[in-house]
Amino acid sequence: MTDLSILDLVPVRQGSGVAEAIAEAGTLAQVAERAGYKRFWVAEHHASVGIAGGPAAVILSHIGHVTNTIRIGSGGIMLPNHNPFVIAEQFGALDALFPGRVDLGLGRAPGSAPIIAQALRKDLHRAAEYFPQDVVELRALLTGDLDLPIVATPGLGAKVELWMLGSSLFGAQLAARLGLPYAFASHFAPRHLDAALETYRAEFRPSATLDKPHVMAAMGVLAADTDEEARYLGSSQDQAFVALRTGDPGKLPPPVRDYRENLPPEARAMIEGMDEARAVGSPATVRTKIEAFVRRTRADEIICAGATFDPEARQRSLDLTMDALASAR
């Protein structure tokens, strides 16, 4: 069976707060560990009242402390927002706390409004131009494969698994050149998926840590007892996506029956454009869609994204999804 992992944005629900969101992420990670998921990743986002995962290293420390075996990591750290030395220290510390369990997924897109760049005291567009050099420097700070004038402590010698993230050909080309595993954000940017994976596999160069291409592809996944119930639960994520794309992001809202059917055509088309990398429905439906996606992409791993207003519904979705895929073996 293709390995399954979890991507969590640590969503903040309407009527709830950051403390509850972080606690719910910890519980979700425990469910994922018991069910047999391979990794639990969180993603860096800033200044969104509906997402609490911005300080990824801090959140991962909590996740690591409430779990025992599941790999934990970033999906990803947006490196232009930072400098390589600080990230090496942060993830070196995580590796010291949770040895052999830490992944460091790196992304180039700043993913921030201009006001965030001001708050970070960064020229994010210029920083993005230096992304390839910063990745090489960060790897050297962890591995010592280049002679640098400074040593990261913690950091040097940490057994952190580096990943390249992407939603375009740029990340695929860089991952191939550096011999890194590659994770594609197809759950929100499926347009360039096939071309990016083809480029990555064709241009891959073996490295000291990886001898052949290794692909993870993201899907929006939500399983419930019936297709109708899954669509209903998934309407919270649909609402959040429309709000984000129309410039009005907020906390995760409760589900709405027949939400898509009542949308204007433009908004409905926006959501349906993501469906090629979604598996929302009964366990049988989810299994069929994931299996078809794996056949298409030949992905080595699938990372499952998404959120529900009721945390227990997503926890149950994890169990239903894993059981459905395991029963197909």
Side-chain angles (χ1 to χ4, degrees), residues 1 37 44 46 50 60 63-65 69 73 90 110 113 140 155 181 199 207 209 211 214 244 249 257 262 269 288 302:
M1 187 178 81
Y37 287 81
E44 175 187 347
H46 295 291
L60 291 174
I63 299 300
H65 278 296
T69 58
Q90 290 177 0
T199 297
S207 66
T209 55
D211 62 354
H214 188 93
L244 176 65
R257 292 283 179 193
N262 296 312
T288 298
I302 296 295

Side-chain angles (χ1 to χ4, degrees), residues 267-293:
R268 185 171 180 178
M270 190 188 315
I271 296 175
E272 290 176 347
M274 303 297 108
D275 283 348
E276 65 177 275
R278 279 185 177 170
V280 176
S282 68
T285 296
V286 166
R287 180 181 66 242
T288 298
K289 291 185 175 182
I290 291 179
E291 288 177 341
F293 189 75

Side-chain angles (χ1 to χ4, degrees), residues 236-260:
S236 293
Q237 187 74 65
D238 287 346
Q239 293 175 73
F241 182 77
V242 170
L244 176 65
R245 288 299 176 92
T246 55
D248 187 30
K251 293 186 176 182
L252 188 70
V256 174
R257 292 283 179 193
D258 301 320
Y259 172 70
R260 291 194 184 191

Side-chain angles (χ1 to χ4, degrees), residues 2-262:
T2 304
D3 286 327
L4 297 181
S5 296
I6 299 299
L7 174 63
D8 187 44
L9 302 188
V10 196
V12 182
R13 297 176 289 117
Q14 288 183 6
S16 187
V18 169
E20 293 89 347
I22 295 173
E24 289 158 7
T27 301
L28 188 68
Q30 292 172 329
V31 172
E33 182 173 78
R34 288 195 298 269
Y37 287 81
K38 186 173 184 177
R39 311 174 197 272
F40 190 94
W41 282 8
V42 299
E44 175 187 347
H45 291 80
H46 295 291
S48 174
V49 297
I51 298 175
V58 178
I59 303 298
L60 291 174
S61 181
H62 167 63
I63 299 300
H65 278 296
V66 299
T67 56
N68 296 297
T69 58
I70 194 169
R71 296 192 67 88
I72 59 173
S74 60
I77 291 292
M78 300 296 105
L79 196 53
N81 293 344
H82 311 279
N83 67 70
F85 185 77
V86 169
I87 298 302
E89 287 186 324
Q90 290 177 0
F91 278 76
L94 286 170
D95 177 70
L97 290 168
F98 315 110
R101 295 177 57 196
V102 178
D103 302 328
L104 173 51
L106 299 170
R108 180 181 63 141
S112 302
I115 193 170
I116 302 301
Q118 296 171 22
L120 294 171
R121 308 294 195 271
K122 296 276 285 185
D123 181 341
L124 295 181
H125 292 292
R126 173 169 286 187
E129 294 175 1
Y130 291 103
F131 178 70
Q133 296 95 312
D134 284 348
V135 173
V136 171
E137 180 181 338
L138 175 53
R139 181 165 67 175
L141 286 164
L142 295 170
T143 65
D145 62 355
L146 296 176
D147 186 16
L148 299 178
I150 191 170
V151 173
T153 305
L156 182 63
K159 304 302 181 184
V160 174
E161 188 172 290
L162 278 181
W163 283 73
M164 184 62 58
L165 276 59
S167 57
S168 68
L169 297 185
F170 179 88
Q173 292 168 331
L174 185 58
R177 189 183 317 150
L178 298 179
L180 295 176
Y182 180 53
F184 192 88
S186 33
H187 63 303
F188 72 81
R191 180 180 176 186
H192 299 294
L193 170 63
D194 299 303
L197 297 191
E198 181 180 357
T199 297
Y200 170 66
R201 289 175 173 131
E203 299 183 9
F204 181 83
R205 303 175 186 174
S207 66
T209 55
L210 192 64
D211 62 354
K212 62 182 180 179
H214 188 93
V215 167
M216 177 191 288
M219 295 186 72
V221 177
L222 176 56
D225 289 329
T226 65
D227 288 349
E228 180 182 4
E229 182 67 8
R231 286 193 295 269
Y232 168 65
L233 294 172
S235 67
S236 293
Q237 187 74 65
D238 287 346
Q239 293 175 73
F241 182 77
V242 170
L244 176 65
R245 288 299 176 92
T246 55
D248 187 30
K251 293 186 176 182
L252 188 70
V256 174
R257 292 283 179 193
D258 301 320
Y259 172 70
R260 291 194 184 191
E261 284 70 14
N262 296 312

